[in-house]
Amino acid sequence: MNLQDVAQAIRDARENIILIYAFNSTGKTRLSVAYKDLTKDGDGNHAGVYFNAFSEDIFVWENDDYNDNAEMRLEIRPSSLGRFHSLLNEDNIREKLKPYKPHYDFRFEIDEASDTSTIEAVVFIEDGGETPIKISRGEERIFVWCFFLALFEVEGWADIQSGHFFIDDPVTSLDDHNLFVTAFTIYDLIEQQFADRKIIITTHHIGLFSVLFDCLLKGEKADKFKKSTKPLILSGARGDLSLETHRTDVFLYHLRLLQILTAAQEAGEVKAHHFVLLRQVLENVASFLGTGRIGHVLEKI
């Protein structure tokens, strides 16, 4: 399969909730682009809305190094979404941020020359303070995710491009606590929207995959979601991909690595990157044994 084949398989799936696990560099972001292109109408209009690496790239730090960081801010590059900014305010974002319990506040800086009140930048400040601060990478990722959660609700975007949500890995740089919070914001979004549109979630993070898998297929409301959920594993490399159905009770990262290594060995197709995967397996085993030494594991083997 290639990316277009995978996109077509997702589109053809009768289930409305598509949960995909894939290693980094497998092509998840490119898959979101392939799906976008596949689902455009005859006039080139988008059928759905997306959160992916392109979404995050709209936000860029201006550190104001030449002015001792006095005007430090997170700038928002011009994009097709700018016309919807006038429908957002700080409170929309604060509401989405509440589950994360942030230790900062923020304000929008509006482009006064814009006819649509485009948000030009975000200035972060400590609670009760006025001096601009720089938040951590994890906090930034959470803020951007919440910005898009709020944007999903404005009129004229997600309600018009209502065919699907495609969400690609919103948990980069997050610690375990915030990963769980993010998982449940996605779960809430699924519960609100899955009856009316397709929702595709791709991730390299086994924790996010497992939490959503358990909630949708084994949780308190599983009866509502089971028939509509299709968990998949995307594997392979550029242009040579496979999409496998996954419905077993447990998905463990190290067992998946062992499956990949065994398949490569049996097919006589061991490549350089398989030795990287082998090292990860050995490190996991060493950590489990409490030694922290790969050499100890190799000696026991």
Side-chain angles (χ1 to χ4, degrees):
M1 301 177 78
N2 56 33
L3 283 169
Q4 289 69 35
D5 295 329
V6 176
Q8 187 66 56
I10 294 171
R11 185 180 186 180
D12 292 343
R14 61 178 179 79
E15 295 87 354
N16 259 17
I17 306 168
I18 309 296
L19 178 60
I20 300 175
Y21 176 80
F23 291 138
N24 274 333
S25 301
T26 304
K28 299 186 300 301
T29 299
R30 288 180 290 118
L31 174 60
S32 70
V33 175
Y35 196 82
K36 175 186 69 177
D37 293 340
L38 176 67
T39 54
K40 285 180 180 178
D41 65 19
D43 296 324
N45 299 313
H46 294 184
V49 296
Y50 301 82
F51 179 88
N52 56 21
F54 293 100
S55 308
E56 295 180 311
D57 287 346
I58 295 172
F59 297 79
V60 180
W61 278 101
E62 170 50 63
N63 293 321
D64 194 27
D65 293 330
Y66 298 105
N67 195 28
D68 199 25
N69 307 123
E71 301 295 331
M72 180 166 46
R73 62 187 196 161
L74 185 63
E75 295 185 345
I76 303 179
R77 289 174 171 171
S79 74
S80 60
L81 300 178
R83 66 186 187 275
F84 301 116
H85 287 181
S86 62
L87 303 173
L88 283 177
N89 58 53
E90 287 96 337
D91 287 339
N92 298 140
I93 315 297
R94 289 188 185 106
E95 185 64 28
K96 301 301 181 184
L97 281 168
K98 273 184 181 178
Y100 296 95
K101 297 179 171 52
H103 298 292
Y104 60 82
D105 199 3
F106 65 93
R107 64 175 181 269
F108 289 157
E109 292 193 345
I110 306 299
D111 181 3
E112 300 297 343
S114 169
D115 294 334
T116 57
S117 300
T118 301
I119 303 170
E120 188 175 59
V122 183
V123 176
F124 296 94
I125 53 179
E126 293 184 8
D127 283 333
E130 288 297 327
T131 304
I133 61 171
K134 186 166 187 173
I135 58 176
S136 72
R137 183 70 68 185
E139 289 173 320
E140 177 193 338
R141 291 290 185 262
I142 290 168
F143 179 86
V144 172
W145 167 241
C146 290
F147 186 97
F148 272 83
L149 280 177
L151 203 56
F152 287 157
E153 296 180 355
V154 304
E155 294 182 2
W157 188 38
D159 58 329
I160 300 300
Q161 296 171 207
S162 59
H164 54 267
F165 282 116
F166 198 119
I167 299 168
D168 174 34
D169 253 350
V171 294
T172 306
S173 301
L174 300 192
D175 59 28
D176 288 344
H177 169 73
N178 286 320
L179 182 144
F180 277 98
V181 175
T182 301
F184 285 105
T185 64
I186 296 173
Y187 178 79
D188 289 342
L189 186 67
I190 290 171
E191 187 170 19
Q192 294 164 14
Q193 302 287 345
F194 86 100
D196 301 315
R197 70 181 81 198
K198 185 161 284 194
I199 302 174
I200 306 106
I201 303 102
T202 58
T203 184
H204 78 287
H205 199 293
I206 188 60
L208 179 63
F209 182 88
S210 297
V211 170
L212 289 174
F213 181 94
D214 288 345
C215 287
L216 295 169
L217 296 177
K218 297 188 287 183
E220 293 180 359
K221 300 180 181 179
D223 288 344
K224 179 165 66 172
F225 298 116
K226 273 183 180 178
K227 291 182 179 179
S228 298
T229 301
K230 188 167 190 173
L232 298 165
I233 300 172
L234 177 65
S235 58
R238 305 169 187 275
D240 184 20
L241 302 171
S242 64
L243 197 59
E244 308 161 27
T245 301
H246 172 75
R247 279 195 173 272
T248 56
D249 288 339
V250 179
F251 182 82
L252 297 175
Y253 180 70
H254 67 286
L255 295 182
R256 179 62 182 167
L257 294 181
L258 289 170
Q259 290 172 350
I260 293 171
L261 293 171
T262 300
Q265 182 187 29
E266 291 176 349
E269 296 179 351
V270 176
K271 307 293 184 183
H273 73 273
H274 289 115
F275 289 92
V276 177
L277 301 184
L278 176 60
R279 181 181 181 88
Q280 291 180 33
V281 173
L282 295 172
E283 287 175 344
N284 282 356
V285 175
S287 176
F288 176 78
L289 294 176
T291 67
R293 288 196 309 112
I294 290 177
H296 175 76
V297 178
L298 291 173
E299 289 168 7
K300 293 300 181 184
I301 292 173

